[in-house]
Amino acid sequence: MSDAFRRFAVNRIAMIGLAVIILIVGAAVLAPVLAPFDPNEQFFEGLTIEGAPLPPNATYWLGTDQLGRDLLSRLIFGARTSLVVGVLANGAAVLVGTILGVVAGYARGVVGSVIMRFTDLMMAFPALLLAIALAAIFSPSLLIVALVIAMVNWVQIARVVYTETTALAERDYIEACRALGANWPRILFRHIVPHLVPTVLVYATLGIATTVLLEATLSFLGIGVRPPEPSWGNIIYENQTYFATAPWLVFIPGAAILLLALAFNLVGDGLRDALDPARQGR
């Protein structure tokens, strides 16, 4: 593991991604301290005489939105929402996908076939359309959005874990464990699951980027996190009518979403290279 850490540490691109993640997470944690204003406070002086949002200025560094609220404050607090949904949803998806993948890969037979056919069925539905349908059925909230995203994102990790578990279960040392009388919990948790940790860790990191983007998409469509609670997706949704006259209201939160997703992808790629020495030099 120390060798993997050293390989990751010398990957400059991955370290840049990690630095961006730390910066955004720090801003989210310290939001009450860093945000210059309450994210939901409306300022009469935050609008022009015509009622349009103010551009960036000395008082409102990133300008104001259509209700006279400080955009910088809403972005900082919105980072909390995007990260919480991303981590919760991806954590639940990884947990469910790993459990189902391991059970199907080790048990095989009828149990494995049923689990994997259900996984294939879920993969047949477009993730975004399925998420929209589920979000429309349930009353949108932070927890519901996270659960909806988890329900459509577990299938990829389940398929990957199933493939690796199937390959590991056929190794000679697993057959030797069975011959020595080891029970299945010992074989799974002592000899199979530890070998899956690098793969699960990489997909967990990459999956956060996907969940952040999906949350932003649902919020932009108006079926994600409900206003006035800020998230980067609903900031764009609320201000899309001012795209032509106040483009910063769309571009800035959009850039934040892109930056966070890119940072997690860079870290995920770095972890994949670090945990798989065979990829070095390719």
Side-chain angles (χ1 to χ4, degrees), residues 24 35 42 70 80 229:
I24 294 176
Q42 297 174 271
D70 180 56
R80 278 183 163 186
E229 185 174 4

Side-chain angles (χ1 to χ4, degrees), residues 85 88-94 96-97 100 118-119 121-123 125-128 130-135 137-138 143-158 211 214 218:
V85 171
L88 283 179
N90 193 61
V94 168
V96 172
L100 292 179
F118 177 68
T119 302
L121 178 64
M122 293 293 293
M123 292 183 71
F125 290 97
L128 179 57
L130 184 58
I132 291 173
L134 292 172
I137 293 172
F138 301 103
L143 180 59
I144 292 298
V145 171
L147 290 177
V148 165
I149 294 174
M151 290 171 66
V152 301
N153 271 2
W154 62 268
V155 291
Q156 290 83 8
I157 185 67
T211 54
L214 189 52
L218 293 176

